Amino acid sequence: MDYEAIYRRSIERPEEFWAEEAKAIYWHTPPRQILDYSNPPFRKWFVGGETNLCYNAVDRHVGERGEQLALVAVSSETGVTREVSYAELFREVNAFAAVLKRLEVGRGDRVVIYMPNMAEAVFAMLACARIGAVHSVVFGGFAAHNLALRIDDATPKLLIAADAGCRGGKVIPYKPLVDAACAEAASPPAKVLIVSRGLDAAEPRVEGRDVDYAALREQVGDAQVPVEWLESNEPSYLLYTSGTTGKPKGVQRDVGGYAVAMAQSMRTVFDCAPGQVMFSTSDVGWAVGHSYNVYGPLIGGCTALLYEGLPTTPDAGAWWALCEKYGVRTMFSSPTAIRVLKKHDIGFIRDHDLSRLKYLFLAGEPLDEPTAVWINGALGKPVIDNYWQTETGWPALTLLPGVDMKPVKFGSPGFPNLGYRMKVIDERTGVEVAAGRKGVLVIVPPLPPGCMTTVWNDDARFLQSYFSHFDELLYSSLDWAIRDEEGYTFILGRTDDVINVAGHRLGTREIEEVISGDPGVAEVAVIGVHDELKGQLPVVFVTMRQAPQDPCAVAAELRQRVVRQLGAVARPSRVHIVNALPKTRSGKLLRRSLQALAEQRDPGDLSTLDDPNALEEIRRVLNMPGE
Ligand code: AMP
């Protein structure tokens, strides 16, 4: 099939196109209307249709492929591998759903899940979906403050936590973080369900609040819980992501549209058929984790391979050994992970039989050419750059090997995915720019199925964050881009103050708020600075109310403060204590100049700079020659 033809149909006759695609999933009640776009930019897909994500991911496959592996959860941290067939997945998800029911969780209730990549995290997500509860998975690398922010926004009835995570052999107990988050939150959940792997048995339980999963699991036995049929546009889950304010946004996803997008993309993008194996190395706490560690492969009747641990444990061949053992067809990872592996001998890849591996998809951050060339050469397989966002939930720019495999162009994630009408426009005029010219990437609404429906409890923020940037109603992806003569799009980085650390999205504002919470701090600016391995790292510039006696100790404490409150993922690589931050005469921080200097680039137009000394000092602390 020809990409251009099918793509054109998807955007020119979306209702016809998506009506056809919707047949790939099970509908308890078929949709009455394919698209309701009477209240732009809000849109409703498959109106009146009733379905359920868990039913599509589990029940539907039990008859035909009950004995096939649905989930393989491998932990190189604990050394445990769990192989779960569809029949077993059905049992475990039902049991988990029965436990949720016992805890009086029902349709529409929010459930925060704070767990690493372990089988029970998948059971918990699917169990929520089964009973119509809205899950919100919080990345296990986030610390108490981040968790508290999400709790307060989602107001969950229940929090499900693992006893601990593990990273590089180090046990990270979750219970103290959960306790701190519940203490900080204004509306903590009434119950905390603890799924223990015996990693941190010592933590005392909070009387009346904490419940152990194992005990309840035993009580419910092989209970079966009926599926809750949900209208296509009811919320299925929330996934918080960073923006330009200190408060993360609750990206809200629907049920029917998401299921259809998952079913379609498994076929068209990932070229992974029922019975085949998909290995996504993401964490379940991220968008890729939701879509391609859990829902996509399971809705597609595939085997989902889930991995907890470093890519280098026990050695840099760990992932490739799994690809060989389970016959992985489609692998999905991040450029940072590949840059880590690139430091190791190529033999770790070449020693494995990867004859069944067809593709490596990489997403979440820019894929630099040397990394792409290296892994492409090492594997001898197509390496497909995938551009998407938590908001889109599935690839927006990609190649579609399941439809028509176009040649890979290094540095570009390719073409708009089916249903995505995308443009690169001038940031001021809103007019589409010519090929080869830089502009802002936008999606012309209505957004396709699978993309976010709104910001949880905050339609105004949805409109303001994404649709208020131009005169025309357009979804701004907040990325700079260039489209070349052949239609390949290249992403040039964010237009806002969001930074990308090893594929993890962080708001500089969130880090700034934590640092300015220190009473000694007067002003703070956090920027993302280029890093060879992780793409970007946060760097802090701070002014203190009083000159510190021991600046090194203060800097170290501010760093620790960020790690304590937000998690190690946000750890600043450097904290510079300065006397003044570079600002314009009207008091606006010259953030871009600061970043340029930190990256040894030209700081640009400084004609509006208020105090030239501030810039000289920045140069000094960065050990740069002055002008
Ligand atoms: P997240 O919501 O965490 O997935 O982050 C989304 C952001 O990551 C996008 O807005 C881009 O800035 C960046 N991003 C994701 N995928 C790519 C890619 N393939 N190439 C360049 N940037 C990407």
Side-chain angles (χ1 to χ4, degrees), residues 229-447:
W229 298 110
L230 304 173
E231 200 277 336
S232 177
N233 294 281
E234 285 185 55
S236 57
Y237 68 78
L238 311 178
L239 187 49
Y240 284 84
T241 192
S242 299
T244 40
T245 70
K247 187 173 175 250
K249 290 186 282 245
V251 165
Q252 181 176 323
R253 206 91 64 208
D254 65 3
V255 181
Y258 184 63
V260 172
M262 290 302 99
Q264 191 218 55
S265 56
M266 284 303 292
R267 182 171 50 83
T268 57
V269 180
F270 299 106
D271 191 23
C272 200
Q276 295 178 333
V277 185
M278 176 144 185
F279 178 13
S280 164
T281 68
S282 176
D283 188 279
V284 285
W286 302 117
V288 176
H290 281 63
S291 294
Y292 299 108
N293 292 15
V294 182
Y295 287 112
L298 296 177
I299 287 174
C302 306
T303 300
L305 185 49
L306 187 72
Y307 182 85
E308 180 192 31
L310 302 174
T312 47
T313 309
D315 60 43
W319 286 356
W320 315 111
L322 289 171
C323 284
E324 177 177 345
K325 180 171 176 194
Y326 291 100
V328 171
R329 176 182 173 86
T330 304
M331 178 146 175
F332 196 136
S333 192
S334 69
T336 293
I338 303 302
R339 286 192 289 265
V340 168
L341 295 177
K342 195 170 154 216
K343 294 185 169 172
H344 296 263
D345 196 299
I346 209 164
F348 282 115
I349 298 178
R350 297 252 167 93
D351 286 351
H352 295 283
D353 172 7
L354 300 177
S355 52
R356 287 159 79 187
L357 184 68
K358 280 216 57 174
Y359 314 99
L360 173 65
F361 287 80
L362 297 175
E365 55 179 317
L367 173 58
D368 57 289
E369 189 164 339
T371 303
V373 169
W374 178 79
I375 190 67
N376 177 244
L379 289 173
K381 319 272 175 184
V383 174
I384 302 178
D385 187 356
N386 238 222
Y387 165 87
W388 46 307
Q389 306 184 299
T390 305
E391 290 85 345
T392 65
W394 62 302
L397 290 168
T398 184
L399 299 182
L400 287 102
V403 173
D404 174 13
M405 181 69 188
K406 298 276 188 206
V408 169
K409 222 183 233 192
F410 289 125
S412 167
F415 304 98
N417 199 354
L418 305 178
Y420 284 85
R421 188 195 284 259
M422 299 176 90
K423 296 199 288 193
V424 180
I425 64 171
D426 184 283
E427 68 182 300
R428 284 180 304 272
T429 62
V431 175
E432 198 158 6
V433 296
R437 287 299 180 101
K438 177 177 165 181
V440 177
L441 188 65
V442 295
I443 307 175
V444 183
L447 297 177

